[in-house]
Amino acid sequence: MTNSSTNPPNVERAVQIALAISAALGTLLLGLGQQSVFLPCLAIMAAVGSVILTDILGVFRLNRNLANLGALLAVIYTVVVMILGSVLDRQESQTSLIRVANLLVYLQVILQFQQKILRIYWSLSVLSLLQVVVASALNLNVAFGPLLAVYMCAALTALSLLFVYRETLPFKDEDADEVSPAPGPPRRWPLAGRKVRWSSAGGTELTRPLLGLPMARHIFGMGLVTLVVTTFIFYGIPRYDRNRWQSSGRQGTSVTGFSDEVSL
């Protein structure tokens, strides 16, 4: 398990808050596509509660066994609902996609209430991104575009902070480095028992030049490039008349009239 004392606490706290915001925004986009209020409310309460109770106060943390049990129950519940729905109601593939998206939300909530390590941070970011991918396939609301831009800024900020946190994690503070080694028999190579250090500065000195205005300029540049590439892809990819998520066995409605084109 990664020790959070090896990195300045403000950087890790910023990572936790940024990931909580991006997770709530991703579920909000998903709930907007489903026209559901339950999922966004659940995500917002879980984000706020996990930051306060789990990250800051540390009074409520799920251990790995309980978290695995909760994830297993969420998967079993989703599979049973999908099977019953397909048998009784003969549901479409779009409904199955919504069930899988809801499973992503349940797994995200379970991860948020665990003690945070790098693996959980990356899992939260991936689950949030998958929710936005599903929401983009289901959502036709005009408000989806501005909310997606806000999510992009929050996600880029969270990933940038997470990168800084991960890269500066091996470096301990100067006070921790000055601790004398444990007494023992003399070694032939005294430096063999020490960890390799590429800088004499602690984590605070390493992260200070990376945060603030330099990171804001970096995020602004990435966001601008992302918007330009997205605009090019949006107008460059051809459109399909038939809904790709619609089941193939369903017949379309016949309409009488004249066609716009004539083929000889």
Side-chain angles (χ1 to χ4, degrees), residues 4-254:
S4 60
S5 63
T6 59
N7 207 61
N10 55 346
V11 178
E12 186 175 8
R13 188 73 67 233
V15 171
Q16 294 165 354
I17 295 175
L19 282 178
I21 293 175
S22 61
L25 287 175
T27 310
L28 179 62
L29 291 173
L30 185 61
L32 187 64
Q34 300 182 18
Q35 298 181 355
S36 173
V37 183
F38 172 73
L39 290 180
C41 293
L42 177 63
I44 293 174
M45 290 188 297
V48 176
S50 63
V51 171
I52 296 176
L53 300 178
T54 303
D55 300 330
I56 298 178
L57 300 179
V59 296
F60 180 76
R61 289 176 178 175
L62 296 175
N63 57 32
R64 180 173 296 183
N65 294 329
L66 289 178
N68 293 336
L69 179 60
L72 180 61
L73 292 177
V75 172
I76 293 176
Y77 169 77
T78 303
V79 172
V80 171
V81 170
M82 290 177 61
I83 293 176
L84 292 179
S86 61
V87 172
L88 300 179
D89 198 17
R90 303 186 67 178
Q91 59 181 3
E92 300 178 0
S93 58
Q94 182 176 354
T95 307
S96 301
L97 185 65
I98 293 176
R99 301 295 185 189
V100 175
N102 295 341
L103 175 62
L104 297 177
V105 179
Y106 304 149
L107 296 178
Q108 175 182 279
V109 172
I110 294 173
L111 287 177
Q112 284 178 328
F113 286 97
Q114 288 185 266
Q115 186 174 2
K116 303 299 188 303
I117 56 177
L118 285 176
R119 177 181 58 83
I120 293 181
Y121 285 140
W122 287 114
S123 299
L124 287 173
S125 60
V126 170
L127 288 176
S128 176
L129 180 61
L130 290 178
Q131 292 177 32
V132 176
V133 171
V134 176
S136 63
L138 303 176
N139 209 317
L140 298 177
N141 200 317
V142 180
F144 181 79
L147 287 176
L148 186 60
V150 175
Y151 172 81
M152 179 193 68
C153 296
L156 289 177
T157 303
L159 291 177
S160 300
L161 290 171
L162 183 57
F163 173 77
V164 173
Y165 172 73
R166 186 194 66 178
E167 293 301 318
T168 57
L169 195 60
F171 299 95
K172 297 181 180 181
D173 294 334
E174 294 180 355
D175 297 336
D177 292 336
E178 296 298 330
V179 178
S180 59
R187 303 173 62 95
R188 182 176 181 182
W189 304 103
L191 298 180
R194 294 181 178 270
K195 294 183 179 180
V196 178
R197 292 290 304 276
W198 298 99
S199 174
S200 60
T204 305
E205 287 76 11
L206 290 174
T207 56
R208 186 176 292 114
L210 302 176
L211 302 178
L213 188 59
M215 178 171 288
R217 289 199 299 263
H218 183 65
I219 294 174
F220 177 78
M222 288 192 299
L224 185 61
V225 172
T226 303
L227 290 177
V228 172
V229 174
T230 303
T231 304
F232 176 77
I233 294 177
F234 179 79
Y235 288 102
I237 294 180
R239 303 293 189 270
Y240 294 97
D241 295 333
R242 192 172 69 87
N243 186 5
R244 308 304 295 177
W245 299 109
Q246 183 178 354
S247 60
S248 58
R250 212 174 163 184
Q251 299 294 334
T253 305
S254 300

Side-chain angles (χ1 to χ4, degrees), residues 254-260:
S254 300
V255 180
T256 58
F258 294 98
S259 174
D260 296 334

